[in-house]
Amino acid sequence: QRCQVYPYVGDGNRAGYEACSDDSSKPVEAYTLVAPTTQQKQQRQTQVPPSSSYLGLIKEGARLWKFDRAYQEQLANVTAA
């Protein structure tokens, strides 16, 4: 799916949030994978959690690139398959 991304230099706190709130920030166009819609979820009944290796990569990347603390805390609560 096409989306708008706000580039920023992570600080491990709120740099991402602040970049999105800054009127002078200019987004760039990107593409991303998205979760199934509600209708698709109802048809499937279950969601497949990420594998532990994939989740580990996401968490490591978030730490290395100093994503916002709130996002890293959300990742810490994701359960792997």
Side-chain angles (χ1 to χ4, degrees):
Q1 179 174 348
R2 190 178 300 193
C3 64
Q4 298 290 312
V5 177
Y6 289 83
Y8 69 94
V9 176
D11 65 1
N13 289 309
R14 294 174 42 102
Y17 175 82
E18 291 168 2
C20 292
S21 302
D22 184 355
D23 291 336
S24 67
S25 292
K26 302 248 190 269
V28 295
E29 192 170 291
Y31 292 90
T32 187
L33 299 174
V34 295
T37 65
T38 302
Q39 184 179 13
Q40 290 169 329
K41 285 180 187 177
Q42 289 172 349
Q43 291 171 353
R44 257 192 0 189
Q45 295 298 319
T46 59
Q47 285 187 299
V48 178
S51 68
S52 59
S53 60
Y54 181 65
L55 182 58
L57 289 172
I58 294 170
K59 288 178 179 179
E60 181 182 2
R63 182 183 57 78
L64 290 173
W65 289 100
K66 299 180 183 176
F67 282 19
D68 288 3
R69 180 169 296 151
Y71 181 71
Q72 291 189 56
E73 289 170 357
Q74 283 181 316
L75 288 176
N77 292 317
V78 173
T79 303

